[in-house]
Amino acid sequence: MKLFENRKDFPYLRWAEGFVIGIIAVTGVALATPTKQPEIQIVKVPVVQVIEKKIVVKEAVYLNRHDRQQIKCMAENTYFEAGHEPTKGKIAVNNVVLNRVKDKRFPKTPCAVINQRAKGVCQFSWKCEGGKRIADMTAYRKATDVAEDVYLGNYTDVTKGAKFYHADYVSPSWGRVFDRTTKIGAHIFYRG
């Protein structure tokens, strides 16, 4: 390949022409030869497996008829008060019941707390509505599991000691008097 025929006019262009052709040839050969990929080694790293368990039972728990009745009351209350709330909301409703049981102003069993009326007013609204029946057995089984776990002490108090709560779409007068502790799901909790 000759770019220029007359050497007299361009004496150094012949040399440049050869240099450029050489560079193109070397680059073409370099691109055509496969390059060796670096060797990749897979190293197994030991990992500590973390398994979260809700309950660690060291010995069997015997639930007598009284315990089963209290859990049943709590499960029904959970179903009607927080049946479609997340698990934390179900736990919170049960925490309120047990916080009241520990307070001397309230009855001493969960069933008595749930069935309590003060001046003819039900402490849990579903108790006064009448005609309530369990329609969603899946939600009721979940409510029963949560009620049993809270009754046995397998969950901590997520309400920070609350003894009262109401739905977030209502505004009772006592809500302005009591100390608010938290909001979980559709309920606002108060210490009282």
Side-chain angles (χ1 to χ4, degrees):
M1 175 166 133
K2 294 182 180 180
L3 295 174
F4 301 98
E5 294 295 328
N6 192 349
R7 241 178 158 192
K8 288 188 236 173
D9 298 331
F10 305 102
Y12 295 100
L13 286 180
R14 293 292 243 175
W15 178 84
E17 178 184 328
F19 181 76
V20 170
I21 292 172
I23 296 250
I24 292 171
V26 170
T27 307
V29 170
L31 292 176
T33 58
T35 59
K36 186 178 179 184
Q37 295 291 328
E39 192 173 314
I40 299 173
Q41 289 183 336
I42 298 174
V43 180
K44 290 184 179 181
V45 178
V47 177
V48 177
Q49 186 175 8
V50 178
I51 300 174
E52 292 186 25
K53 291 186 178 179
K54 180 173 62 171
I55 306 166
V56 178
V57 179
K58 293 184 180 175
E59 58 186 61
V61 176
Y62 173 72
L63 296 174
N64 61 31
R65 190 165 53 161
H66 171 77
D67 292 330
R68 287 194 303 272
Q69 181 59 40
Q70 301 310 309
I71 292 168
K72 183 177 183 280
C73 288
M74 290 171 63
E76 288 174 357
N77 191 53
T78 304
Y79 176 82
F80 291 116
E81 290 286 317
H84 297 288
E85 288 285 311
T87 301
K88 190 174 181 181
K90 292 176 178 66
I91 293 168
V93 166
N94 285 298
N95 287 151
V96 167
V97 171
L98 292 184
N99 288 341
R100 286 184 177 196
V101 167
K102 294 174 193 169
D103 190 322
K104 57 186 163 186
R105 297 177 292 171
F106 296 96
K108 295 297 165 207
T109 66
C111 287
V113 165
I114 292 164
N115 291 314
Q116 181 185 22
R117 289 177 183 242
K119 299 179 184 172
V121 177
C122 294
Q123 296 297 300
F124 296 92
S125 60
W126 71 273
K127 291 299 287 183
C128 285
E129 290 173 0
K132 290 285 195 178
R133 58 184 189 85
I134 296 165
D136 184 349
M137 289 310 292
T138 304
Y140 181 69
R141 279 191 291 279
K142 178 66 176 165
T144 302
D145 291 344
V146 171
E148 183 176 311
D149 283 337
V150 173
Y151 184 80
L152 294 174
N154 293 327
Y155 287 115
T156 57
D157 184 0
V158 297
T159 67
K160 303 173 189 165
K163 295 178 188 86
F164 300 91
Y165 67 92
H166 64 79
D168 59 3
Y169 54 84
V170 297
S171 183
S173 59
W174 54 263
R176 293 184 291 273
V177 178
F178 294 155
D179 294 330
R180 179 177 169 169
T181 61
T182 189
K183 181 181 186 302
I184 300 171
H187 292 110
I188 302 170
F189 295 84
Y190 299 86
R191 201 165 275 119

